[in-house]
Amino acid sequence: MRRAAWGFVFGADLAVLAVSRLVTGMGSGCLWLGITFATLAAWPGQEYLCVSRIYAAYSAGSLLGPLLGAIHGVRGPFVAYLALVLLALVPVLTLRLPATAGAFAPDRRALRSPGFRAAVVALAFAVLALGTLEGVLPLHFGTKLGQSQIGVLYAATSVMVAVAGAAAARWPPRAMLLVSTVLVVSGFALAGASTAVPVWIAALAVAGAGIGLADTGATGVLLDAVPPQRIVTAMVLWSQIGILGYLAAPLIGGPVVDAFGYGAVAAVVALMATGAAATLARSNRS
């Protein structure tokens, strides 16, 4: 990731930027899974609580990206990102697993469980909402706010995501997911339908809290469905599907907004929320 950041800072050719983006994505995926497995190994019996905090921080970090984008210039945001990557090396290098940490093993049978399917759909909903917030709505906010102001708005939203995600671990994950569907859809509906900045602030606070709850809830459903010692295959596939949900957000939300306006963006999230709620209900009956 550090070398990829250098490519963004000093590269000007499209091929260099494309390779840097590829390397960044690979590094992010390795970091995501590495920290997750290290957390599961270091705190047995507290997986739901500890992993929820990790993913809350991940979601908050994703929304902090626009704050870096508020830095003027083309290379300025990437210089700031490189500085953050270098700072992150310190905790990564000091991370140590306990001597008693158990081994993890792949298990394809876990992929057939109703709980795993529910966790996948729940994560897809959470990440689709995050991708819509980050990849679709900024153009709507840009009608009234400047680049720096949008960055500050998203930074404040990231606080809501992190706080809600960390707090959600105190309650059952399925209940948190159901609550999150209401908050996310309501927040997006309000943000898309309004053109008033104070309403946008309130709407993103609601939606951000919902995204935090959804991230934690999806994690809890996965951990309930698959024992940590057999979670390798399930965790990798679950994470990959989550990334697809993020990439799908602008591909789906963009054309919907072009055709029907920003007020319709909530419909995209609502459809996914309905699917998540239905899948949870089926898995609960199994």
Side-chain angles (χ1 to χ4, degrees):
M1 291 178 65
R2 180 179 59 186
R3 292 180 180 177
W6 282 113
F8 284 119
V9 173
F10 296 106
D13 186 74
L14 181 60
V16 174
L17 298 179
V19 171
S20 298
R21 183 66 185 90
L22 176 64
V23 174
T24 300
M26 293 176 63
S28 297
C30 292
L31 186 63
W32 166 293
L33 291 174
I35 291 178
T36 298
F37 289 127
T39 302
L40 294 175
W43 289 280
Q46 301 182 60
E47 292 89 354
Y48 179 40
L49 176 63
C50 295
V51 173
S52 70
R53 292 173 177 173
I54 295 296
Y55 286 175
Y58 178 88
S59 298
S62 178
L63 289 173
L64 283 174
L67 184 61
L68 297 183
I71 300 173
H72 293 291
V74 176
R75 290 185 169 83
F78 296 111
V79 171
Y81 172 71
L82 176 59
L84 291 177
V85 171
L86 293 174
L87 287 175
L89 285 175
V90 177
V92 169
L93 293 176
T94 57
L95 183 63
R96 296 290 184 273
L97 291 179
T100 57
F104 295 100
D107 185 358
R108 291 182 177 271
R109 293 174 298 176
L111 306 183
R112 297 192 291 268
S113 69
F116 174 75
R117 290 194 293 270
V120 165
V121 178
L123 181 66
F125 160 68
V127 181
L128 180 75
L130 184 65
T132 302
L133 179 59
E134 189 177 276
V136 179
L137 285 179
L139 292 177
H140 180 45
F141 301 145
T143 59
K144 291 288 185 68
L145 300 174
Q147 183 175 346
S148 299
Q149 292 171 316
I150 294 174
V152 172
L153 177 62
Y154 273 67
T157 304
S158 72
V159 174
M160 291 299 301
V161 174
V163 171
R170 300 177 180 273
W171 291 279
R174 291 173 182 269
M176 292 296 95
L177 277 170
L178 293 177
V179 173
S180 75
T181 60
V182 177
L183 294 178
V184 170
V185 174
S186 300
F188 275 98
L190 193 60
S194 177
T195 57
V197 174
V199 176
W200 289 345
I201 294 173
L204 290 198
V206 173
I211 291 172
L213 297 183
D215 279 330
T216 295
T219 305
V221 171
L222 178 66
L223 292 172
D224 285 345
V226 185
Q229 291 74 23
R230 298 190 293 109
I231 205 171
V232 172
T233 305
M235 178 64 74
V236 171
L237 182 59
W238 181 76
S239 301
Q240 289 173 335
I241 292 174
I243 296 301
L244 290 177
Y246 183 83
L247 296 176
L251 293 177
I252 299 172
V256 169
V257 165
D258 285 340
F260 304 105
Y262 284 99
V265 73
V268 176
V269 181
L271 286 174
M272 198 69 205
T274 302
T279 306
L280 279 172
R282 286 197 298 269
S283 68
N284 200 31
R285 293 194 296 267
S286 302

